[in-house]
Amino acid sequence: SCELESYSLEIFNRWGTKVFESNQQKRAWDGTNNGRKLKDGVYFYVLRYKGLNEKIQIKKGSVLLSR
């Protein structure tokens, strides 16, 4: 909901393989990789963003995919 100069979201599986990447703030991950539904489990994210006149922020964490 705020204007950003830059944005990057990466999602990784537990083995460190990147399963999703986006540079568009409004493009959300839908739990798929190349059109295939991924298995339930824990996935890890790295979010990088920079607001206007701010320093780059990096947030890391995990998300549980459950259908």
Side-chain angles (χ1 to χ4, degrees):
S1 65
C2 62
E3 189 172 340
L4 299 176
E5 287 183 17
S6 64
Y7 171 90
S8 171
L9 174 63
E10 297 173 304
I11 308 281
F12 301 88
N13 66 17
R14 64 182 173 183
W15 297 283
T17 302
K18 189 184 304 182
V19 297
F20 177 80
E21 181 176 28
S22 176
N23 293 318
Q24 299 173 17
Q25 187 176 357
K26 295 186 179 187
R27 183 173 170 231
W29 180 50
D30 62 0
T32 65
N33 182 22
N34 294 324
R36 296 180 323 163
K37 290 183 179 179
L38 292 171
K39 293 181 180 181
D40 292 356
V42 176
Y43 292 82
F44 302 92
Y45 68 86
V46 178
L47 172 64
R48 295 177 180 90
Y49 62 94
K50 184 178 184 305
L52 298 174
N53 302 317
E54 294 180 2
K55 294 181 180 180
I56 293 176
Q57 302 292 316
I58 300 173
K59 305 292 182 185
K60 297 178 181 181
S62 60
V63 59
L64 176 63
L65 177 61
S66 177
R67 298 186 194 279

